[in-house]
Amino acid sequence: MPNLAVEVRGLQKSYGENHAVKGIDLAIPEGEIFGLLGPNGAGKTTTIEILEGIRARSGGDALVLGLDPTRQAAALKDRIGVCLQHTNLPDRIRVGEAMRLFSRLYSRSADTDQLLARVDLAGKKHAFYRTLSGGQKQRLAIALALVNRPRLVFFDEPTTGLDPAVRREIHTLIGELRADHCTVLLTTHYIEEAERLCGRVAIMTEGRVAAEGSPREIQEQTLGKALVEARFAAPVPEDTAFPAAGSCERADGGRALILRTNDAGACVSELVRWADAHGTRLEDVAVRRASLEDAFIALTGRRLPEEG
Amino acid sequence: MKAYLAHTENALRLLTRNKVALFFTYLFPLIFFFLFGGMFGGAKNTGAMLQVISVVLTIGVLGSGLFGAGMTTVQEREENILRRFKVTPSGALPILLATLTSGLIAYLPLIGIIIALSRVWLHVPLPPRLPDLLVFSSLGLLAFRGIGLLMASVVNSSQEGQAVVQILYLPMLLLSGAMLPLEMLPASLQKLAAFLPSAYLFSGMQSMLLDQQNLWHSAWQALALVLTAGAATFLALKLFRWDKDEAAPPRAKWWLVAGMAPFVFLGLTQLNSQARVVEEKKQTRAMHRNRQFVVENVRVFVGDGPVIERGRVLVKGGKIVEVGEQGGLPAPPDAEVISGAGKTLLPGLIDMHVHLGASGLPKYDPDEKNPEDRRLAAYLYCGVTAVRSVGDWLDRSLALKRRVESGEVLGAELFAYGPLFTAEGGHGTEYLDMMPANVRPQARDQFLRIPASPADAATMVHQLRLDGVDGIKAILQGDFGSIHFVHLDPPIYEAVARAAHAEGLPLATHTNTPQDVEEAIAAGSDSIEHGALSDHLPSADLEAMKAAGLAYDPTLSVVAVFRDVAAHSTAMLDSPLVQQVVLPAKMAEARQAIAAHTAGPGPFGRHPEFSGNVAANLVAAWQAGVTLIAGSDAGNLYVIHGPTVQRELALWVEAGIPAPVALQAATSGAARVLRAQDRLGRIAPGMQASFLLVDGDPAADIHALERISSVVFRGEIVNRPDLLKDVKGERH
Ligand SMILES: Nc1ncnc2c1ncn2[C@@H]1O[C@H](COP(=O)(O)OP(=O)(O)OP(=O)(O)O)[C@@H](O)[C@H]1O
Ligand SMILES: [Mg+2]
């Protein structure tokens, strides 16, 4: 078993009466890109910032790169890279100056020019921060997060509010970290981002981890292998049972059904049989693989913002 | 350390690009500088310019602290800039320290610019206490940046920050003394000002610039600034918030008070003391004394003989720097010009015999506060710029002398001889009998020295020298008419004289008969006070006085009162100057008392013949070539503190002394006996600029001395009406 970069057990955080994080467990092996996926207010930022050593936890254990993020915060901060959710630099600092300033705050530093080239800002070295576009600012933020050659990098919603092309650039940059054997913990609203970048994902909702695993594992855990969507000419009574289906959602006064199943074939034949038996017509039937989004909606009861 | 340097460098770099910060750091103070600098006439008034420098530096410190350090930090938090540093390992301390010191590095050039501009543009000389000023204002800057940082740590938004800064900034500036003198503020605001660091900062800088005091003089203020810088920064660190979301509770603002605790403490200790108002008075004095002006086309009575008919006198920094014929020298470009046409400029008059402890008026006013202050002010009002007190309470005199020296009291310079050396039952002791019994022991201790033996006399003189007297006064006086006085034992008197010489103190001896005078001559007294009242001084005595270089002080004024009161004459009260320094009501009382006078047990109204006799002695002494000095014995009944020298010299001239001789006696002659001839008594370069301008020529008409045009004291053109405002005891 590889070493764990992040190990969390029973982590809790309360803001007064508000229990933002209600006991979560995480284990992120070195070299993994791990995603925390969840709706607004799920506790993603709270969790990640506790692990960065900038918020105190209310309970539970946490080890990040073998360090306790509260008691060994300074040592930890020296070794991690962080891209915060909401942050800024002074309007009139130049890109190169910002790089140099931050590189001097750590015990070791990368070659800042190389880093700027890597995030494609070499040409902007002398530009003021305020003249940068949103994407350029975010790329600078990534370069700053890497300025101390961290082994573990945190990204809190690295692409929120950016346009699709910029988002892809950022994805490429984060993806490249995998090649460096860097561990990444990122939070996101975007399922596609999680699916594309993350080896493993935890879905957080209301301060808990609702599901954890590879995107594929999650959807299977929560939804089974397939979704069957059926539409009948007449409503299906509520107490009707389809034994092959794990669950059944009704819509349109019972005329539309969504069934989750591990055996799509058996499920479809039960539907056909029921239609025949009750003298009604199965107007439409479709079988499709459940997506992570479906799983997410099932777990959180919420729909996520569209990507792109 | 690395992080601190990185943050400092960054802060400085950003400052150079931040227009608002640059404005408050440099431009805003400079605007004030040019505004005030132009307004206060620049070079003509070095003192005012030095004051402007302190005002501008104070404005710079306040702006740098509250806006520069404070608001910048609040804004950086609000714009989510600070929180980016939260995930770096170095924490908040390097950021706070960098904010403190980057501000200091930015501020020091301002001091340089202001001083250089004053030097080049307005010809203000370099402040002699520049290093002290640099250190002190730097401490002020650190303290105020600390306060700014603390403010940033306790407010939650820019708006809140602006509100708190306004609440701090305006009172800090308005009540610092920089905008208007503390004296002009109502007492409640004066009390409030005692708690404001800015007031201490300003007065400390003032004391260095104007008063030329060193840092040590403002050590408490400096300490309070250091402690404030430390406490405020420490609290700012403890309360530091990276995120605008982490709201500080409203009560956190009280921490600001905690940060300024050193000044709260200092304020409490100062609350009931006048120390700060006094300090400000001294600085105001110093400022007024630092002017540069030239009196042109004026007749100059130099003081020791020569007269320049059409001369020019240049004054700078409290001293006479040039004296010459009009047109003989190029006029300095930036000096204020005062026309002296039709006037005579002569050295400040010196009264060599006064008793400040008594008013000279018939009624004693027990409620009067600090009457001596007002008496010295009355002298100065009349152009008497120095007086010799020969018989006053020791502690009061020495304290008063110090207060005049420091500039706290504006009044004639005081040469304090302190108590009278006399015999048990001798002249001087009779005053004790007039006092309430409970004050007698203290009065005896303060006002008299009654040595039991020659050795005792030596010890007493020695102790007085240690106490700081300027000379020794001894009484040789036997029976006076029907009044019995015990005469001082000759061996004791001789011991007093020997001790005075040994201690380097001049001796003034009160005498009443030729025998007393001879005794004083033999003992080597430096001056003879009164001489002989009822006898002619033998020419042998006069020869001996001349030979010994001894000065004769006839005190005709007091003796003339004996005559005038007998004739129910109020001549001594008729001078306009006397009427100016005494309240009309008191004047009326005095006139009534003289009108109703019946000869009592004292000398008043009993010895009209003394006056003619002393006048004759004076003329004989002059003819014999004896050094003359002019004393009035003011404080005795109807010899009123103020225009005493005018009265005395008028009596001399009446007696037959030529006016120029009389004027020399009251100026250079007196200065020599005071051993102050290197700074007083003459109009010459290097002399203290203490002189008066009178209309006309007193050498031709001694009464011209009463027509005072202006009085200059230590370089300050004295605002004479203001002086009398203070002479409340005798004016109201
Ligand atoms: N500093 C704070 N003080 C009080 N409550 C907080 C604080 N930070 C977060 N919360 C609350 O904790 C809960 C979790 O917030 P958190 O920011 O961790 O969620 P998130 O998953 O990052 O949401 P988002 O997607 O909006 O960034 C929310 O209810 C939020 O209001
Ligand atoms: Mg968040």
Side-chain angles (χ1 to χ4, degrees):
Chain A
M1 169 137 181
N3 286 336
L4 292 176
V6 176
E7 203 179 347
V8 168
R9 216 165 281 133
L11 187 72
Q12 295 184 18
K13 174 71 179 179
S14 313
Y15 301 104
E17 290 296 288
N18 178 1
H19 302 290
V21 177
K22 300 170 185 163
I24 62 171
D25 301 330
L26 291 173
I28 306 173
E30 278 183 3
E32 185 168 73
I33 298 191
F34 188 91
L36 270 182
L37 186 60
N40 288 116
K44 304 184 294 295
T45 299
T46 301
T47 304
I48 200 172
E49 292 196 350
I50 288 172
L51 300 181
E52 288 159 4
I54 61 178
R55 281 192 210 204
R57 59 185 187 263
S58 314
D61 294 320
L63 274 183
V64 181
L65 298 177
L67 300 168
D68 182 308
T70 315
R71 272 176 275 136
Q72 296 165 297
L76 176 63
K77 287 176 189 172
D78 195 34
R79 292 195 217 169
I80 59 172
V82 176
C83 232
L84 291 170
Q85 186 173 359
H86 302 288
T87 182
N88 251 313
L89 290 176
D91 277 351
R92 279 167 222 274
I93 196 165
R94 292 182 204 277
V95 169
E97 289 165 0
M99 291 298 290
R100 173 147 168 71
L101 169 62
F102 279 85
S103 72
R104 290 167 74 189
L105 304 179
Y106 293 91
S107 62
R108 50 187 190 154
S109 65
D111 180 323
T112 56
D113 285 342
Q114 258 176 25
L115 263 183
L116 281 181
R118 179 164 160 189
V119 300
D120 203 17
L121 284 176
K124 289 284 180 185
K125 189 174 172 186
H126 299 291
F128 282 136
Y129 180 73
R130 63 177 176 144
T131 65
L132 301 182
S133 69
Q136 287 167 334
K137 283 180 179 166
Q138 190 62 352
R139 278 186 276 142
L140 176 58
I142 293 174
L144 290 175
L146 299 178
V147 82
N148 58 333
R149 291 191 278 129
R151 303 278 316 286
L152 168 63
V153 188
F154 295 90
F155 292 93
D156 197 359
E157 303 197 16
T159 62
T160 303
L162 299 176
D163 65 47
V166 175
R167 192 171 291 158
R168 272 191 292 282
E169 289 170 20
I170 306 287
H171 289 165
T172 310
L173 285 173
I174 296 174
E176 281 169 13
L177 293 174
R178 198 187 342 238
D180 293 351
H181 307 291
C182 224
T183 312
V184 173
L185 172 52
L186 64 82
T187 73
T188 183
H189 282 157
Y190 300 126
I191 290 173
E192 195 196 318
E193 187 163 283
E195 276 180 327
R196 185 180 303 167
L197 288 173
C198 301
R200 280 195 315 136
V201 173
I203 292 180
M204 265 193 96
T205 176
E206 287 170 5
R208 292 184 207 281
V209 173
E212 192 194 328
S214 67
R216 176 82 183 248
E217 283 166 10
I218 290 180
Q219 71 213 24
E220 288 182 1
Q221 272 169 31
T222 47
L223 301 177
K225 293 198 166 100
L227 288 181
V228 176
E229 294 174 347
R231 189 171 184 83
F232 292 89
V236 180
E238 250 178 80
D239 52 1
T240 312
F242 298 103
S247 74
C248 175
E249 257 177 61
R250 296 152 51 84
D252 195 12
R255 291 177 60 211
L257 300 181
I258 301 171
L259 303 106
R260 295 164 196 178
T261 178
N262 283 324
D263 187 345
C267 185
V268 170
S269 68
E270 280 179 4
L271 291 171
V272 173
R273 262 183 278 132
W274 188 87
D276 288 348
H278 293 80
T280 183
R281 207 161 58 83
L282 185 58
E283 289 181 336
D284 188 19
V285 67
V287 176
R288 61 179 178 85
R289 287 202 65 83
S291 68
L292 185 58
E293 180 170 9
D294 296 317
F296 187 92
I297 294 167
L299 286 167
T300 66
R302 293 207 228 175
R303 189 163 278 283
L304 279 168
E306 284 301 311
E307 188 177 356
Chain B
M1 191 64 195
K2 208 171 73 169
Y4 160 73
L5 290 177
H7 280 298
T8 304
E9 196 185 307
N10 180 53
L12 281 171
R13 198 180 301 115
L14 292 179
L15 172 71
T16 62
R17 295 175 191 160
N18 181 339
K19 289 202 190 74
V20 178
L22 283 179
F23 177 80
F24 279 111
T25 311
Y26 298 111
L27 205 58
F28 192 58
L30 280 173
I31 289 172
F32 271 87
F33 176 75
F34 283 109
L35 209 70
F36 291 151
M39 225 152 75
F40 291 122
K44 283 175 201 154
N45 197 341
T46 303
M49 272 319 296
L50 292 174
Q51 162 126 7
V52 169
I53 293 177
S54 349
V55 171
V56 170
L57 293 182
T58 303
I59 290 173
V61 165
L62 283 175
S64 164
L66 299 178
F67 290 98
M71 286 311 291
T72 310
T73 306
V74 174
Q75 270 155 17
E76 286 193 341
R77 181 169 58 225
E78 199 149 73
E79 288 164 13
N80 288 325
I81 294 169
L82 272 188
R83 70 194 304 271
R84 179 58 186 84
F85 295 101
K86 191 179 182 180
V87 289
T88 63
S90 47
L93 185 61
I95 296 181
L96 293 175
L97 292 181
T99 309
L100 279 186
T101 41
S102 62
L104 181 58
I105 295 168
Y107 179 70
L108 290 176
L110 177 72
I111 305 184
I113 293 169
I114 300 278
I115 304 262
L117 271 176
S118 317
R119 179 87 196 81
V120 174
W121 178 45
L122 298 167
H123 311 285
V124 176
L126 278 185
R129 297 291 183 183
L130 196 52
D132 301 74
L133 179 73
L134 283 180
V135 171
F136 188 74
S137 48
S138 299
L139 296 180
L141 188 95
L142 293 178
F144 271 89
R145 285 188 83 84
I147 293 170
L149 287 174
L150 178 52
M151 182 280 290
S153 284
V154 298
V155 301
N156 290 321
S157 64
S158 290
Q159 275 149 320
E160 239 181 78
Q162 286 288 358
V164 173
V165 163
Q166 291 306 338
I167 289 172
L168 291 177
Y169 185 85
L170 280 180
M172 288 259 196
L173 185 61
L174 292 179
L175 303 183
S176 64
M179 293 290 127
L180 44 152
L182 285 179
E183 253 188 311
M184 284 174 56
L185 297 175
S188 55
L189 288 182
Q190 275 185 19
K191 289 211 155 106
L192 180 60
F195 294 95
L196 297 181
S198 56
Y200 294 94
L201 173 70
F202 180 72
S203 74
M205 292 205 276
Q206 289 275 84
S207 78
M208 284 163 207
L209 280 165
L210 285 173
D211 234 3
Q212 313 203 347
Q213 298 283 1
N214 58 17
L215 190 57
W216 193 239
H217 179 80
S218 305
W220 284 112
Q221 288 89 323
L223 182 69
L225 290 172
V226 172
L227 291 177
T228 296
T233 310
F234 176 78
L235 289 171
L237 180 68
K238 289 287 143 197
L239 303 167
F240 190 81
R241 284 166 301 125
W242 301 93
D243 258 311
K244 61 178 175 215
D245 303 338
E246 301 170 54
R251 63 170 187 281
K253 297 187 182 61
W254 288 107
W255 284 110
L256 271 171
V257 178
M260 290 186 250
F263 286 94
V264 175
F265 185 76
L266 202 57
L268 286 175
T269 67
Q270 301 270 300
L271 206 52
N272 291 316
S273 102
Q274 283 287 299
R276 294 175 53 263
V277 175
V278 167
E279 186 67 17
E280 195 192 63
K281 276 188 187 163
K282 293 180 194 171
Q283 289 159 7
T284 311
R285 276 290 65 72
M287 178 180 96
H288 289 310
R289 288 175 184 178
N290 236 317
R291 286 174 81 152
Q292 184 181 1
F293 61 89
V294 60
V295 186
E296 298 203 315
N297 291 309
V298 70
R299 178 182 298 104
V300 180
F301 182 89
V302 173
D304 55 355
V307 171
I308 304 170
E309 278 303 323
R310 201 166 152 253
R312 203 182 60 187
V313 176
L314 176 63
V315 172
K316 201 172 173 177
K319 289 196 169 162
I320 296 170
V321 290
E322 276 176 28
V323 179
E325 298 280 345
Q326 183 72 35
L329 299 153
D334 4 85
E336 188 180 337
V337 176
I338 294 170
S339 169
K343 298 177 185 177
T344 302
L345 188 156
L346 70 159
L349 304 172
I350 302 171
D351 189 332
M352 292 296 277
H353 196 128
V354 307
H355 300 280
L356 287 174
S359 72
L361 290 163
K363 277 195 189 158
Y364 168 65
D365 181 356
D367 295 335
E368 210 181 329
K369 280 209 181 123
N370 296 335
E372 291 96 335
D373 293 16
R374 296 176 192 121
R375 289 168 193 156
L376 288 183
Y379 279 114
L380 191 57
Y381 179 84
C382 298
V384 179
T385 57
V387 298
R388 182 173 72 158
S389 137
V390 282
D392 270 313
W393 281 41
L394 178 63
D395 291 352
R396 292 184 74 94
S397 313
L398 293 175
L400 182 56
K401 178 183 171 70
R402 272 194 300 275
R403 286 162 63 232
V404 173
E405 283 313 302
S406 72
E408 179 191 341
V409 171
L410 181 58
E413 178 171 357
L414 175 58
F415 288 83
Y417 280 28
L420 306 168
F421 276 84
T422 189
E424 199 65 75
H427 176 43
T429 60
E430 76 274 23
Y431 297 113
L432 293 193
D433 302 334
M434 302 177 199
M435 295 178 185
N438 58 332
V439 298
R440 266 178 230 163
Q442 199 199 355
R444 196 181 160 94
D445 182 49
Q446 287 288 325
F447 184 60
L448 299 175
R449 286 294 177 274
I450 304 177
S453 65
D456 201 12
T459 314
M460 287 174 169
V461 172
H462 177 66
Q463 185 55 47
L464 284 173
R465 206 258 298 151
L466 296 182
D467 292 338
V469 298
D470 295 300
I472 298 293
K473 169 77 179 297
I475 305 280
L476 294 180
Q477 162 96 54
D479 290 347
F480 185 81
S482 58
I483 311 169
H484 174 64
F485 285 129
V486 176
H487 198 281
L488 192 56
D489 255 1
I492 290 181
Y493 174 67
E494 283 155 24
V496 170
R498 263 198 314 277
H501 292 147
E503 302 288 343
L505 294 172
L507 173 66
T509 307
H510 165 111
T511 61
N512 187 39
T513 64
Q515 292 72 36
D516 299 337
V517 171
E518 282 149 28
E519 206 183 327
I521 297 170
S525 184
D526 293 83
S527 69
I528 300 285
E529 308 298 314
H530 318 298
L533 297 196
S534 50
D535 304 276
H536 282 293
L537 283 175
S539 57
D541 289 357
L542 296 174
E543 291 302 326
M545 281 166 80
K546 178 183 189 285
L550 203 153
Y552 176 43
D553 182 1
T555 63
L556 266 184
S557 305
V558 71
V559 185
V561 167
F562 303 166
R563 172 196 72 191
D564 293 350
V565 170
H568 300 287
S569 156
T570 56
M572 68 300 235
L573 305 178
D574 288 343
S575 148
L577 285 174
V578 171
Q579 294 177 44
Q580 285 162 42
V581 299
V582 180
L583 276 183
K586 297 207 170 183
M587 200 61 136
E589 280 169 16
R591 286 183 195 283
Q592 277 162 20
I594 293 173
H597 189 87
T598 49
F604 295 101
R606 300 191 93 201
H607 298 285
E609 74 285 4
F610 283 1
S611 143
N613 185 57
V614 175
N617 281 341
L618 168 62
V619 172
W622 165 58
Q623 282 163 347
V626 175
T627 300
L628 302 178
I629 54 176
S632 62
D633 214 351
N636 277 294
L637 204 51
Y638 309 126
V639 187
I640 290 157
H641 302 285
T644 51
V645 178
Q646 279 88 343
R647 165 96 174 136
E648 179 73 14
L649 297 192
L651 291 169
W652 286 25
V653 171
E654 221 173 86
I657 303 290
V661 172
L663 289 169
Q664 280 185 52
T667 54
S668 63
R672 264 195 303 280
V673 175
L674 292 173
R675 301 183 181 172
Q677 67 271 30
D678 54 344
R679 59 184 180 92
L680 299 183
R682 281 182 310 125
I683 303 297
M687 293 283 142
Q688 209 169 65
S690 295
F691 53 76
L692 65 162
L693 266 177
V694 299
D695 294 345
D697 181 6
D701 169 15
I702 198 69
H703 293 286
L705 280 187
E706 290 162 39
R707 295 191 285 274
I708 296 171
S709 168
S710 11
V711 175
V712 173
F713 184 63
R714 299 187 172 186
E716 173 177 6
I717 301 173
V718 176
N719 183 329
R720 295 173 67 231
D722 265 8
L723 266 178
L724 282 195
K725 265 200 289 194
D726 272 356
V727 189
K728 284 191 184 125
E730 273 131 50
R731 281 283 304 163
H732 289 265

